[in-house]
Amino acid sequence: MAEGEILKWMAKEGDQIREDQPLVEITTDKVNVQIPAPRSGKVLQILAREGDVAKVGQTIMVIDDGGSGGTSSPPPQAPRPVPATPPPSQPQASNAAQAVLATPATRRLARELGVDITLAKGTGPQGRVTDDDVKVLVQASRPSQATAQATPPAAGGAGEKEEVVPLRGIRRKISERMLKSLQTTAQVTHVDEADMTELVLLREALKGSAEKRKVHLTYMPFIIKALIPALKDFPYVNASLDEQGGNIILKKYYNIGIATDTEQGLVVPVVRDADKKDIFELAGEIEALADKARHGQLSLDEVRGSTFTITNVGAIGGLFATPIINIPEVAILGLHKIAKRPVVRDGRIEVRDTTYLSLTFDHRIVDGAYAARFTAKVVETIQDTKKLLSEVL
């Protein structure tokens, strides 16, 4: 973990807090984590706003614990955070603005809102300008109601037709990871078709046993087990690239990431050592992880360390898609809707349950022929119930 986004503060400046009470919620690696208060005391300063990204080791709050040297406000000579150098598109803050007592986050808020921070009246400790002081300044600088009404909105203006939604939390992390994946890998997608008729019957036959174990048996555990022999036969698909060292790391363990749709966005909990678990163990673990994902209760360990990822959009519909690799992995398998389609078998047309499998792979590590053979091996195992039974039980 190198950084985390401040998602929600659970205390404000001036609050009395107790040790270990939930203090701040952060987002990292698509997981929300609550950080407890390290000690009891009074909150003197909050140095990072909600939505800010803080580096590990960065001070985000100042607490007076009442111990020796503790003060109700920061000492006059105490070092203050220095605002980061603005990007070229933003003007450097004036000497007068630099002299104002305010946190970098408050200065940035003033810049974003287009107000002169030197005009703000500081109401914080030692006259420090707070976010609320900047917002008061913004309100004061707005034109009066009469003036605003005198100028009709421009034709085609946004008005109530648009809504601004901050790119924050898990959605920001997804945005960053998806872009990085496409920018740093050579992604190609191979699509194949699988006859699922026998697997549909096998799942129906095992549903009763699953219910006795109080687990919901979906197709996902079967697909995971069908993957294992293919990943063993084609190890470059279960790998990662160490670009700095110039090495391909072949993983001889099988931790399968399960892309899960939640209200907050897409998260990928990990089923570890999938090759060592039977079909019912996998079903129970997948169900438990999905439930934790939807309730925002996943731990960092539960979303890290996957060697290969599966994404399933079959329940939603569509023909097939081209999933994006969950870096630093080498490939991802997309599962799609199982539907009855006409299939030619032994020269005759039959109606069979079929689906499409789409494998997106990093062409720097895996060639097209290798990816095609890997996918064909998965299809072969899915369609051979005897071979699949040897894997699932």
Side-chain angles (χ1 to χ4, degrees), residues 86-110:
S89 60
Q90 296 179 332
Q92 179 69 40
S94 66
N95 293 332
Q98 293 284 5
V100 172
L101 185 60
T103 66
T106 300
R107 295 176 189 276
R108 184 171 65 192
L109 176 64

Side-chain angles (χ1 to χ4, degrees), residues 190 192 230 234 370-382:
H190 172 79
D192 206 338
F234 298 87
Y370 192 92
R373 293 188 187 102
F374 167 82
T375 310
K377 176 70 175 182
V378 176
V379 171
E380 176 189 330
T381 306
I382 287 174

Side-chain angles (χ1 to χ4, degrees), residues 195-198 341-354 383:
D195 188 332
M196 302 285 282
T197 306
E198 301 302 324
R341 298 182 177 96
V343 175
V344 177
R345 288 167 56 90
D346 299 325
R348 295 180 300 176
I349 297 177
E350 297 182 13
V351 176
R352 309 282 291 182
D353 290 303
T354 67
Q383 296 180 164

Side-chain angles (χ1 to χ4, degrees), residues 64-257:
D64 178 8
D65 61 5
S68 59
T71 58
S72 60
S73 60
Q77 300 303 320
R80 296 198 303 269
V82 179
T85 303
S89 60
Q90 296 179 332
Q92 179 69 40
S94 66
N95 293 332
Q98 293 284 5
V100 172
L101 185 60
T103 66
T106 300
R107 295 176 189 276
R108 184 171 65 192
L109 176 64
R111 290 196 301 270
E112 292 173 351
L113 296 177
V115 296
D116 185 353
I117 198 171
T118 62
L119 301 178
K121 181 180 179 181
T123 60
Q126 296 186 332
R128 182 171 60 83
V129 175
T130 67
D131 286 3
D132 287 339
D133 298 332
V134 171
K135 293 173 183 176
V136 168
L137 185 62
V138 172
Q139 292 292 336
S141 65
R142 286 178 177 169
S144 65
Q145 181 78 9
T147 303
Q149 289 180 349
T151 306
E160 297 180 354
K161 296 181 180 179
E162 294 182 355
E163 179 183 0
V164 177
V165 179
L167 184 62
R168 291 170 56 178
I170 290 178
R171 177 49 54 190
R172 176 194 279 181
K173 184 61 65 174
I174 292 171
S175 174
E176 292 171 353
R177 287 182 63 85
M178 293 298 98
L179 182 61
K180 184 177 180 180
S181 178
L182 289 173
Q183 289 177 334
T184 58
T185 59
Q187 301 198 20
V188 180
T189 301
H190 172 79
V191 179
D192 206 338
E193 185 177 25
D195 188 332
M196 302 285 282
T197 306
E198 301 302 324
L199 178 55
V200 170
L201 295 174
L202 178 60
R203 173 175 171 260
E204 287 296 322
L206 293 175
K207 269 186 176 181
S209 298
E211 289 174 0
K212 291 179 181 178
R213 292 171 170 81
K214 298 182 179 180
V215 295
H216 178 55
L217 188 59
T218 67
Y219 289 104
M220 183 65 76
F222 295 96
I223 300 301
I224 291 177
K225 298 305 287 187
L227 272 173
I228 301 302
L231 291 173
K232 289 180 178 179
D233 287 353
F234 298 87
Y236 283 84
V237 178
N238 196 60
S240 63
L241 176 63
D242 173 16
E243 295 191 58
Q244 190 171 14
N247 298 308
I248 299 172
I249 312 299
L250 304 181
K251 312 292 179 66
K252 297 185 179 180
Y253 51 95
Y254 306 93
N255 296 343
I256 309 300

Side-chain angles (χ1 to χ4, degrees), residues 298-336:
L298 289 171
S299 68
L300 290 174
D301 286 340
E302 289 172 326
V303 296
R304 290 180 172 175
S306 58
T307 60
F308 185 90
T309 293
I310 302 175
T311 180
N312 180 14
V313 295
I316 300 173
L319 193 61
F320 66 87
T322 57
I324 297 176
I325 296 171
N326 183 26
I327 54 174
E329 296 166 19
V330 168
I332 181 172
L333 183 70
L335 308 179
H336 304 94

